[in-house]
């Protein structure tokens, strides 16, 4: 199986990544991206250790790619997702563990991708095998750029097919964002939003290597370069990067084209296969790990100020822990009520999965707000950087502000800088925005929850109740 070094070496492939007005020479060593690349490399290495649950002991492959057909296989895949999320405390949203689930879902139902006019496309089983056997990190760009549809001068062009021939298709245009795009191996591109008649050219589903000629990623401001890993401990390790994606006449060979021109197929790939559920169970397992970490921060910050016994502080910590417990309970329930679908795949239950997805948009910002309220000015009462801690004169002054015992000053600065990176830095702000939007706008995500709630049972409870009395009963009283 792939080592961390092999992953890092593969990143040096000539990909066109732009940041701060320059082209990145090698993302693996560039200060903007090396933190997340090193974190990912460590995860590939972790998989090779005997105690890890990331690999299937029989096949030696990463379980994140597994198609679970028994409850044991589903549990093993869950354990791998949990280990992956715990290693990053849920701060990497689109690591290799997300699209691997989508591909597993696609490969479970290859007939859905069959196109009589294009027999060379739709090779989802072959591509799943290709990616799983190489432990590839594939991320996604599945939403068009924001634009004003009423603006006649707009140049905005969501990615579309402009040509097709014996080699494959040619695509041109742009997609809004790809988290992890700078440091992944390949990019899955489609449109998750329903398309209208006439938009068939945008009805695409394909995977493209990140070094494909004509593919360019324009990164948002990196947070890993804000300061030292001591000052920005989360950003330095887990800033997965987000980048806008442009396609300039990019050739996609048929073996990487899943669907073309098929509007209904685009929706079916997600919702008539296990893909959306196998992909998004990762999202809530990850969120659960992240909320546990936020709870730990709250508890330790309360103790640092000796306030852990105060009722109001305990209540605030409890409020955060209850949010963490709610999401954890959704994960448990989604697995406890898992169902086997029409092609024999064990799918985490939709009602619980999508309720968690619908709630994350409210509960993560609330947990961060509560943590911010708990720590007050403690996250601002901090030296500018680690350099201040190294200066003996400043150290002596700072002891008066926050020193205690042997290492009290360093330990306090360390903890509160970590809290600040979760609640107040640009990295922290991006995470609140991420949890609000990564799986669609809140209205879209809550619609998934609506689709998956068993309203028939709820309505029947009310109908039965209503049937128990009428106007004549009223008259008799
Ligand atoms: C940190 C981050 C990382 C991301 N990573 C990825 C990624 O890896 N891959 C990917 O494909 N995408 C990614 N995205 C994009 C994400 O999928 C989109 O943000 C999401 O689908 C919502 O689309 P939007 O941003 O265009 O918001 P919009 O759909 O424009 O929604 C913004 C707000 O406008 C409201 N709104 C929408 N339409 C209307 C209307 N017609 N009238 C009035 N109000 C309206 C919505 O309810 C919402 O409150 C990421 C986003 C973020 C923030």
């Amino acid at each position: 199986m792939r080592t961390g070094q092999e992953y890092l070496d593969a990143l040096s492939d000539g990909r066109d990544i732009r940041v701060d007005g320059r082209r990145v020479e090698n993302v693996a060593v560039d200060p903007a991206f090396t933190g997340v690349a090193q974190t990912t490399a460590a995860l590939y290495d972790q998989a090779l250790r005997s105690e890890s649950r990331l690999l299937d002991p029989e096949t030696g492959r990463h379980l994140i790619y597994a198609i679970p057909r028994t409850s044991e296989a589903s549990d093993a895949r869950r354990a791998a997702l949990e280990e992956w999320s715990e290693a990053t405390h849920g701060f990497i949203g689109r690591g290799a563990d997300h699209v691997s689930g989508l591909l597993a879902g696609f490969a479970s139902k290859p007939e859905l991708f069959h196109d009589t006019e294009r027999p060379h496309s739709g090779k989802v089983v072959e591509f799943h095998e290709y990616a799983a056997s190489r432990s590839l990190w594939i991320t996604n760009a599945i939403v068009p750029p924001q634009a004003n549809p009423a603006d006649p001068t707009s140049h905005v062009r969501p990615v579309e097919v402009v040509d097709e021939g014996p080699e494959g298709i040619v695509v041109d245009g742009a997609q809004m964002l790809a988290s992890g795009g700078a440091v992944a191996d390949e990019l899955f591109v489609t449109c998750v939003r329903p398309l209208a008649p006439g938009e068939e050219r945008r009805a695409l589903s394909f995977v493209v290597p990140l070094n494909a000629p004509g593919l360019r990623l324009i990164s948002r401001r990196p947070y890993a370069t804000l300061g030292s890993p001591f000052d920005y401990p989360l950003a330095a390790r887990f800033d997965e990067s987000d980048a806008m994606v442009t396609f300039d006449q990019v050739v996609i060979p048929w073996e990487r084209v899943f669907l073309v021109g098929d509007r209904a197929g685009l929706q079916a790939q997600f919702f008539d296969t296990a893909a959306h559920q196998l992909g998004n169970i990762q999202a809530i397992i990850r969120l659960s790990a992240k909320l546990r970490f936020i709870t730990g921060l709250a508890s330790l910050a309360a103790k640092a100020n000796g306030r852990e016994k105060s009722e109001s502080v305990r209540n605030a910590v409890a409020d955060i822990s209850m949010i963490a417990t709610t999401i954890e309970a959704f994960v448990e329930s989604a697995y406890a009520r898992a169902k086997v679908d029409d092609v024999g795949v064990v799918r985490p239950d939709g009602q619980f999965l999508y309720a968690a997805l619908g709630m994350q948009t409210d509960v993560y910002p609330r947990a961060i707000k509560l943590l911010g309220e708990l720590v007050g000015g403690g996250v601002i009462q901090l030296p500018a950087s680690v350099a201040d801690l190294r200066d003996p004169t400043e150290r002596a002054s700072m002891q008066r502000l926050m020193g205690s015992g042997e290492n009290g000053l360093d330990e306090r600065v360390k903890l509160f800088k970590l809290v600040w990176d979760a609640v107040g830095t640009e990295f922290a702000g991006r995470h609140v925005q991420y949890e609000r939007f990564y799986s669609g706008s809140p209205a879209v995500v809550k619609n998934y929850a609506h689709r998956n709630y068993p309203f028939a049972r709820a309505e029947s409870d009310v109908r039965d109740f209503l049937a128990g009395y009428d106007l004549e009963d009223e008259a008799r009283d």
Side-chain angles (χ1 to χ4, degrees):
M1 244 328 101
R2 190 185 212 187
T3 65
Q5 193 56 50
E6 284 167 347
Y7 155 73
L8 292 170
D9 291 345
L11 292 176
S12 180
D13 61 359
R15 60 187 58 201
D16 185 356
I17 312 290
R18 308 288 169 134
V19 64
D20 279 336
R22 63 185 173 91
R23 181 170 177 170
V24 176
E25 258 182 48
N26 180 353
V27 286
V29 293
D30 191 280
F33 307 107
T34 191
V36 62
Q38 291 292 339
T39 298
T40 303
L43 256 161
Y44 279 116
D45 285 340
Q46 179 172 319
L48 302 174
R49 294 198 199 105
S50 58
E51 69 280 12
S52 169
R53 298 160 302 167
L54 290 170
L55 300 186
D56 182 334
E58 276 176 29
T59 63
R61 288 192 177 176
H62 272 272
L63 280 159
I64 53 174
Y65 271 103
I67 305 174
R69 296 186 193 278
T70 62
S71 59
E72 292 76 22
S74 174
D75 288 346
R77 184 170 189 274
R78 173 186 176 177
L81 292 173
E82 286 176 345
E83 182 172 332
W84 199 283
S85 289
E86 280 159 20
T88 57
H89 302 295
F91 283 98
I92 293 185
R94 291 298 188 232
D97 49 344
H98 177 68
V99 172
S100 50
L102 301 182
L103 293 174
F106 297 169
S108 74
K109 220 173 189 180
E111 60 274 19
L112 206 145
F113 297 84
H114 185 64
D115 181 342
T116 43
E117 284 174 36
R118 301 176 183 88
H120 302 304
S121 71
K123 305 285 183 212
V124 284
V125 173
E126 292 82 349
F127 189 80
H128 173 255
E129 168 65 23
Y130 173 85
S133 62
R134 290 166 176 74
S135 318
L136 294 184
W137 175 1
I138 301 176
T139 189
N140 65 17
I142 61 174
V143 170
Q146 278 187 357
N148 177 357
D151 175 5
T153 66
S154 174
H155 296 287
V156 177
R157 208 160 141 221
V159 66
E160 61 179 18
V161 59
V162 291
D163 200 3
E164 71 176 83
E167 305 273 300
I169 59 172
V170 181
V171 300
D172 210 81
Q175 286 295 74
M176 185 191 218
L177 283 174
S179 296
V183 283
D185 295 296
E186 304 214 10
L187 186 64
F188 169 54
V189 181
T190 190
C191 184
V192 71
R193 293 187 186 153
L195 292 169
E199 294 185 313
E200 283 71 18
R201 281 154 67 102
R202 288 177 52 199
L204 292 168
S205 173
F206 63 86
V207 177
V208 59
L210 276 149
N211 67 348
L215 179 65
R216 173 173 295 159
L217 266 61
I218 305 170
S219 173
R220 60 131 166 95
R221 173 183 162 80
Y223 311 135
T225 49
L226 291 177
S228 75
F230 184 90
D231 293 306
Y232 296 91
L234 296 174
R237 292 162 177 80
F238 304 134
D239 181 17
E240 64 188 315
S241 80
D242 307 289
M244 300 166 281
V245 188
T246 64
F247 302 84
D248 183 5
Q249 303 283 319
V250 179
V251 177
I252 314 293
W254 284 119
E255 63 267 21
R256 283 184 155 72
V257 178
F258 301 153
L259 293 166
V260 53
D262 181 358
R263 288 186 300 110
L266 254 54
Q267 289 294 296
Q269 65 179 340
F270 286 116
F271 302 109
D272 292 353
T273 72
H276 207 257
Q277 278 154 275
L278 293 181
N280 281 294
I281 193 68
Q282 171 267 345
I284 65 162
I285 287 175
R286 176 199 58 76
L287 180 63
S288 182
K290 195 178 188 181
L291 286 166
R292 190 164 54 244
F293 195 76
I294 301 297
T295 306
L297 288 178
S299 182
L300 289 175
K303 285 183 180 163
N305 282 336
R307 294 178 184 158
E308 72 275 22
K309 296 208 169 67
S310 138
E311 195 173 339
S312 63
V313 169
R314 286 173 79 98
N315 281 356
V317 176
D319 277 338
I320 298 173
S321 76
M322 289 182 316
I323 292 172
T325 302
T326 305
I327 299 300
E328 194 179 327
F330 280 131
V331 174
E332 288 295 335
S333 310
Y335 277 100
R337 300 249 191 114
K339 291 176 188 68
V340 179
D341 72 9
D342 55 334
V343 290
V345 179
V346 180
R347 295 193 196 185
D349 181 76
Q351 179 188 349
F352 295 99
L353 166 56
Y354 291 111
L357 224 54
M359 282 179 70
Q360 81 202 352
T361 179
D362 299 323
V363 299
Y364 186 74
R366 179 164 156 68
I368 294 302
K369 177 173 175 285
L370 286 164
L371 179 56
E373 285 169 1
L374 201 70
V375 292
V379 285
I380 306 299
Q381 181 201 310
L382 288 171
S385 80
V386 67
D388 295 294
L389 288 174
R390 294 204 182 104
D391 181 283
T393 322
E394 278 188 56
R395 270 193 86 83
S397 299
M398 277 191 289
Q399 291 285 5
R400 297 180 174 206
L401 279 155
M402 44 192 143
S404 72
E406 260 307 90
N407 301 314
L409 172 62
D410 296 349
E411 293 305 315
R412 184 180 170 97
V413 172
K414 203 173 170 190
L415 174 63
F416 280 78
K417 276 192 179 273
L418 178 58
V419 174
W420 185 235
D421 216 8
V423 302
T425 60
E426 241 181 300
F427 176 83
R430 182 264 180 195
H431 273 267
V432 169
Q433 203 66 354
Y434 181 82
E435 302 299 354
R436 281 191 184 127
F437 281 103
Y438 77 87
S439 56
S441 72
V444 170
V445 179
K446 286 177 187 178
N447 196 37
Y448 296 150
H450 190 275
R451 249 193 268 166
N452 282 275
Y453 187 81
F455 283 103
R457 162 85 198 271
E459 289 173 7
S460 133
D461 287 354
V462 179
R463 281 203 190 92
D464 289 350
F465 184 81
L466 287 170
Y469 58 94
D470 56 23
L471 269 181
E472 283 171 22
D473 290 334
E474 193 71 19
R476 275 197 294 274
D477 282 346

